[in-house]
Amino acid sequence: MIVKLGTHTITYPRIELSAGIMVVTGASGTGKTTLLRLLHGELKAEGFEQNVLKTALMPQTPTWIPYLKMSEQLKVARAKDVDFSSLGLDQLLHRYPHQLSIGQLQRFSLLAALHANTDVLLLDEPTSALDDDWAEAAMTLISAWVASKPKGSVVVVTHDERLKKTFATAKQLHL
């Protein structure tokens, strides 16, 4: 499918979202993040038919409200019944975004996406700032989410070899 965004044209293979995990890889600048933004409905493009899907997007660089504590951020994001200890965040809820590391913010962003009320998760580099232990915990949570939602779909954009290895049997899309 050929997608036109202003003066730019991107060619994507036909993409069918089905239950399970799809891992999207490719060189920088090939349109992986753009694909997630199109699927999320954040971008509109000529040639791209966005199904009416309710999605949760975990952006590669999340935007946090600087004057809200993380507990308040998650209320705004409508994330409910979150087990913060699963990613070691239970003691950090009272902090503001500027008081946290990039990895801690990435873990909060992943938990917010996982606990959104949706059947489609769009994850952009969900483990890029995580050490091996937290990356493993994150991948375990993603797998558990899929197992708990038989019709749920996860589209993961990544360069992380750990994640690619863990989800090696998942559907693969290389751009």
Side-chain angles (χ1 to χ4, degrees):
M1 116 181 75
I2 297 173
V3 176
K4 293 183 181 180
L5 289 160
T7 59
H8 298 288
T9 301
I10 303 172
T11 302
Y12 291 112
R14 181 155 172 74
I15 298 165
E16 301 253 347
L17 289 184
S18 57
I21 298 174
M22 176 188 294
V23 177
V24 181
T25 59
S28 295
T30 57
K32 298 178 301 296
T33 295
T34 299
L35 174 62
L36 292 184
R37 293 176 68 201
L38 286 165
L39 291 169
H40 189 54
E42 184 179 318
L43 287 178
K44 304 292 183 209
E46 184 181 326
F48 185 84
E49 294 180 29
Q50 201 251 359
N51 296 327
V52 180
L53 298 172
K54 187 175 178 187
T55 61
L57 174 65
M58 178 195 168
Q60 186 172 3
T61 308
T63 303
W64 298 102
I65 302 168
Y67 55 85
L68 290 183
K69 293 178 182 179
M70 295 314 291
S71 60
E72 298 164 321
Q73 306 268 357
L74 294 165
K75 287 179 188 169
V76 169
R78 295 188 181 108
K80 297 178 182 174
D81 302 321
V82 180
D83 176 11
F84 296 102
S85 65
S86 63
L87 287 178
L89 300 172
D90 45 335
Q91 301 300 314
L92 303 175
L93 290 164
H94 67 285
R95 293 196 183 171
Y96 294 94
H98 73 275
Q99 297 174 311
L100 299 172
S101 72
I102 292 169
Q104 290 166 332
L105 291 171
Q106 189 172 45
R107 288 182 275 154
F108 269 113
S109 185
L110 177 59
L111 282 178
L114 288 169
H115 289 85
N117 184 19
T118 183
D119 286 327
V120 180
L121 286 181
L122 307 170
L123 308 176
D124 198 352
E125 297 287 357
T127 56
S128 62
L130 303 183
D131 62 29
D132 288 343
D133 291 337
W134 288 127
E136 186 176 328
M139 291 181 282
T140 298
L141 287 175
I142 294 166
S143 296
W145 186 92
V146 170
S148 73
K149 295 193 176 258
K151 294 182 181 182
S153 299
V154 179
V155 180
V156 181
V157 165
T158 191
H159 291 104
D160 189 335
E161 292 300 324
R162 302 168 300 183
L163 198 145
K164 288 192 265 185
K165 183 178 177 183
T166 297
F167 297 129
T169 60
K171 292 169 268 189
Q172 304 288 316
L173 175 62
H174 184 76
L175 300 181

